[in-house]
Amino acid sequence: MSEPIFIAELAGRRIAFAARRLESIVEISKITPVPRSPDHIEGLTTLRSQTLTVINCRRVLGVEDADVSGDEPRQAAVVKHGMHQYALLLDDVEDVVEWDGETKDVLGGVGAAWERVANGVVETEGGPALLLDVEPFIEVGLQPVQ
Amino acid sequence: MHLSLSYWLGAMDDLLSEFIAETHDMLAAVQEALVAWEADPSDREKLDVIFRFVHTVKGNCGFFDLPRLAQLSHVAESTLADLRSGKRSPDKQLIDAILAVVDRIDDMVSALGRGEELPEGSDADLIAAMESGDAAEKGGAETPVTPDAPPKPEAQDTAAPSLPAAARSIRLPVTLLDRVMSEISDAVLIRNELARHVRDHDLDPAVAATFDRLSNTINELREDISQMRMHRLEHLYTTLPRMVRDLANELGKKVTLEMEGGEVELDREIIELIRDPIVHILRNALDHGIEAPEARVESGKPESGFITIATRQTGNRVRITIDDDGKGIDADRLVERALSAGIIEKSDVSRMSQADKLGLIFEPGISTAAQVTSVSGRGVGMDVVRTNIHQLGGTIDITSDRGEGACIHISLPATLSIVPSLTVRVGDHRFGVPRSYAEEIVSARSDELTFSKTGDSTLVEFRGKRLRCIRLADALDIPGKPIEQSDLMVVKLTGGDLCAVAVDKVLDHEDLAVKPLAEAIMASNLYTGASLLDDGSLVLMLHVTGIALQQGLISETVRRKRVYAVQDDQDAAAKVAIPAVLLATAKGERRLVRMDSVTHLAKVESNAVRLGSGAAQVVLDGKILPLAGADIDAINGEKATILMLGDGESEIAYLISRVIDTVTIGDDLMPADEQGEVEGLVLLDGRATEVLDCHWLFARYARAGATKTDRTCVLDLGDQWTRAILRPLVEGAGYRVLDAADGHDQADVAIVSAGSPAPEVKAARVITLSAEDTEGEASDDTVHRYDREALLEALANRTQVSA
């Protein structure tokens, strides 16, 4: 059972998302900041008159922000979750490849933050990549509502 | 020849789709009429609606080759005609048959609408059901109508009043509407780009004028298209009575559904999104809430249950409450289930308030249905409902009185709808504010304003009014201009209070189509959503009430509905729970104060407080107020937290170090040994905790010279509930309470419990408290014991004692 996965780079690692979870890959140039929103939310952006919530994946993982100037276009994966669309900021995008469905355990040493988002290690032509879930990036610190 | 034939066929197609659409339109109205007619078969008007529907269907069938539909509607029409003329009387079997016919017609017409052939099958069953017990009708119904000889359309039945002329309307696929919406947005963006070019190049004035005309037309187009998306909630509500009726029949229950507020307009999309949650809640109320008729009678209720759906629009939120008078929700059973499902730990239970326990109903994997019925209890439940509502940026909560029913409150942003707004700028940010909040806009540089500071709040004097003034920049933690160089919006908050909000600049009036944002952003309670401006940029829509709350401009509205904690199933005696605030005093002691006495919380600069045990004071909002609880040497930190207590006529301040929690306490208060600041002790989570005696505080601290009320009310203070609950309420309504035991000879009002002897006092009015909720026929002077609003109203309506 093979399925396509999307390979990208995030905080110095090769990562992968299941392609079926992604709506599209976009370049974002204008982000509207949202005062007093959670730390990992970079702001809002628009795509074909839809509002996207931009998630700074590096902050979710607790690593330093990427070195980007204000207007430089940034790569992001667009994900639909619940009723809203999110753009997950990535450092670089590589390609969509076929994956045979095999995952290996994540070996220690990647840190707790990575372990929370990673599903396993997948082997691809370009080398291994960490297969990530999208949900942990979106459901950061959502307190169950009382 | 060919041309005309195809033209004729095309016209037939149009006619058919019109027939289908018309039938669907009527179906919605008929569903409602059917239910109403069943409840009251003498309701001639509803019967007429049903008759007209069937008559129209029958008449239309003549145009098309639809023998099956024609036959069915023909028999139904005859039956209904007999009902109208009184030849037959409606019995349950007949009503069910008519309902089934309407459903069958619905099925067939839907199939036609999908372009299918009419489903195979026979309607003999329904026809027989309608004709059973019928005095033999004239022939025609029994003999199958031959397809090649469709009956001629009949003339309009003269007995049927003609239908009111409706506004012309056509139907559009929703997808088309959405496409038009996004195309017009694009057109606006292109127009704006053009506008820049027009400005940059010196164009021929004629071209510029043409462009302006085009621009205005585009604006009008956009407004009209936005309006297309609005829908009245009635569209959702008309389908509910039928569903409730069918389900009640299936469950062998009786219920009346009342709906109000159908005229509220919402974005079509929101209506679609709340349909399922509302249906689910109704099914739950019927299945688990409303008891079987005999059980209701046993517990002293009318045998038919009541479900009310009320809708209200305030600002840009829509509130829907769904209230039933069934058996309520068993919080303890919820707790048991949550424990066994591992959702909570044993140790959590003691810390949970009643509201927390009821809230468990929204947890996944909890279903209170002892057995799975076809109606509910399949594990998909209120958790899904809650998720859906949250995703819309709404909230849902539940209150329930054991034995008295349950009430679900849904609050939704009407955000997808178009909100007339002001756009404002602060620093580099732009925001939208619903225009309904803004009373007035003034430049802070104007001469009519004078600013002053008290404590840490700024006041602005504006046309003789003193208003609290906040900077939006402070509220949002972003850089902005100092107040003196700002524009001020005078904002009217819920509850009618005015305050001033300073922004760098008020930019423009715009109608914004606000879309809800992700939960992580909504959770801050600062925004209701975001909207796209013409130039493609985003503005955040401000949640004015949320911001005002966070800035301490309004006090948290307290739901004061009483809740009951049930000890266990054997001891189902309801115990009153009183909402209270648990706080730490300035000295660090844990104290409780009844929520009823708390008006709001304020933070002031330490230097606005004068400490001391006797004559401590605090300057707040330009007033000097007596301060209790200030028997300390110094305040730690720059700010002091003040709890404002009110008794309806005067306010006093109480110095605290912080609010710990809001809790509910029982009325089993152990009175303190001596009169003083502490009324007594209650057990809270197993700890004896002191309760502040607000009554004593007011007597001690409220400003001397404050006129005491001259209105008196006699109560039986020997009764504990009266002492703990009723007395503060009556005093809050501005009465001086007299103890019945002291034998007063005259009072404005006396309140007695139903069944107790009449008071000996000569009272201008006697209000009787009944233990049962009277069935909607409460007189002015008989009030359900726990109906706080009705009681306050009764107290407010007092008649003057004639001297």
Side-chain angles (χ1 to χ4, degrees), chain B residues 460-592:
Chain B
V460 58
E461 184 109 28
F462 167 65
R463 296 193 197 156
K465 284 198 289 269
R466 265 201 164 174
L467 308 176
R468 278 279 306 272
C469 179
I470 57 162
R471 286 172 73 232
L472 191 55
D474 291 340
L476 300 175
D477 226 351
I478 49 177
K481 286 185 182 167
I483 275 194
E484 294 73 18
Q485 303 166 24
S486 310
D487 282 352
L488 292 188
M489 274 189 298
V490 178
V491 168
K492 189 175 198 153
L493 300 166
T494 11
D497 293 342
L498 291 176
C499 71
V501 177
V503 297
D504 288 7
K505 193 161 176 38
V506 175
L507 301 169
D508 206 355
H509 285 270
E510 305 222 21
D511 283 354
L512 301 179
V514 185
K515 291 263 170 68
L517 293 167
E519 206 173 314
I521 297 177
M522 290 294 218
S524 70
N525 231 355
L526 296 164
Y527 312 106
T528 54
S531 178
L532 277 173
L533 289 186
D534 295 353
D535 60 2
S537 64
L538 267 167
V539 288
L540 285 154
M541 197 72 183
L542 295 174
H543 181 0
V544 177
T545 312
I547 291 171
L549 264 175
Q550 290 183 20
Q551 295 297 304
L553 296 173
I554 31 180
S555 52
E556 188 79 62
T557 37
V558 183
R559 266 222 328 271
R560 295 173 174 181
K561 199 166 163 112
R562 291 188 203 298
V563 287
Y564 296 77
V566 174
Q567 296 306 76
D568 56 42
D569 286 351
Q570 286 79 36
D571 169 26
K575 208 177 94 152
V576 181
I578 304 159
V581 177
L582 179 65
L583 53 90
T585 63
K587 285 184 173 169
E589 297 155 318
R590 275 165 50 106
R591 291 258 170 94
L592 284 160

Side-chain angles (χ1 to χ4, degrees), chain A residues 41-55:
Chain A
I41 290 181
E42 191 82 9
L44 302 170
T45 192
T46 51
L47 176 71
R48 293 187 291 274
S49 48
Q50 295 277 312
T51 305
L52 273 55
T53 306
V54 185
I55 307 263

Side-chain angles (χ1 to χ4, degrees), chain B residues 33-86:
Chain B
L34 278 166
V35 177
W37 173 62
E38 180 189 34
D40 178 14
S42 64
D43 190 338
R44 192 44 207 254
E45 216 176 296
K46 302 292 183 208
L47 184 56
D48 286 347
V49 173
I50 303 164
F51 177 84
R52 273 204 304 272
F53 168 73
V54 175
H55 176 80
T56 311
V57 172
K58 190 196 92 170
N60 276 316
C61 287
F63 286 111
F64 312 105
D65 186 13
L66 304 168
R68 192 175 150 196
L69 198 52
Q71 187 192 12
L72 184 64
S73 49
H74 174 75
V75 179
E77 185 193 33
S78 318
T79 312
L80 285 162
D82 287 349
L83 281 167
R84 289 172 82 197
S85 61

Side-chain angles (χ1 to χ4, degrees), chain A residues 30-38 40-41 43-55 81-86 138-140 142-146, chain B residues 182 185-186 273 356 363 386 388 390-393 429 431 474-478 515-521 523-524 526-527 530 532 536-538 540 550-551:
Chain A
K30 192 169 184 296
I31 298 177
T32 308
V34 180
R36 287 186 60 192
S37 58
H40 67 281
I41 290 181
L44 302 170
T45 192
T46 51
L47 176 71
R48 293 187 291 274
S49 48
Q50 295 277 312
T51 305
L52 273 55
T53 306
V54 185
I55 307 263
H81 182 73
M83 305 233 339
H84 299 283
Q85 300 210 59
Y86 297 82
I138 292 166
E139 296 171 347
V140 177
L142 271 189
Q143 292 306 315
V145 184
Q146 289 302 310
Chain B
S182 78
S185 304
D186 289 348
L273 290 164
D356 293 339
E363 293 296 330
R386 182 175 70 172
N388 290 345
H390 277 179
Q391 284 176 338
L392 285 172
H429 300 264
F431 302 100
D474 291 340
L476 300 175
D477 226 351
I478 49 177
K515 291 263 170 68
L517 293 167
E519 206 173 314
I521 297 177
S524 70
L526 296 164
Y527 312 106
L532 277 173
S537 64
L538 267 167
L540 285 154
Q550 290 183 20
Q551 295 297 304

Side-chain angles (χ1 to χ4, degrees), chain B residues 454-455 459 466 604 607-611 615-628 642 644 650-653 701-704:
Chain B
T454 87
L459 295 173
R466 265 201 164 174
V604 297
N607 57 19
V609 176
R610 202 172 89 198
L611 296 169
Q617 290 170 333
V618 60
V619 180
L620 193 73
D621 298 348
K623 292 194 299 239
I624 298 177
L625 292 169
L627 180 68
I642 308 279
M644 296 306 297
S650 52
E651 269 203 323
I652 57 169
Y701 285 94
R703 240 169 303 172

Side-chain angles (χ1 to χ4, degrees), chain B residues 621-690:
Chain B
D621 298 348
K623 292 194 299 239
I624 298 177
L625 292 169
L627 180 68
D631 187 12
I632 51 169
D633 300 330
I635 293 170
N636 298 330
E638 291 174 8
K639 301 241 170 133
T641 309
I642 308 279
L643 194 65
M644 296 306 297
L645 305 171
D647 64 351
E649 53 183 285
S650 52
E651 269 203 323
I652 57 169
Y654 192 92
L655 183 66
I656 61 173
S657 59
R658 66 193 171 94
V659 168
I660 301 171
D661 199 359
T662 51
V663 295
T664 54
I665 54 176
D667 58 352
D668 44 1
L669 185 93
M670 290 165 1
D673 295 340
E674 51 190 79
Q675 279 257 313
E677 194 172 292
V678 173
E679 183 182 359
L681 295 172
V682 291
L683 277 180
L684 181 71
D685 305 336
R687 282 173 70 173
T689 311
E690 294 181 325

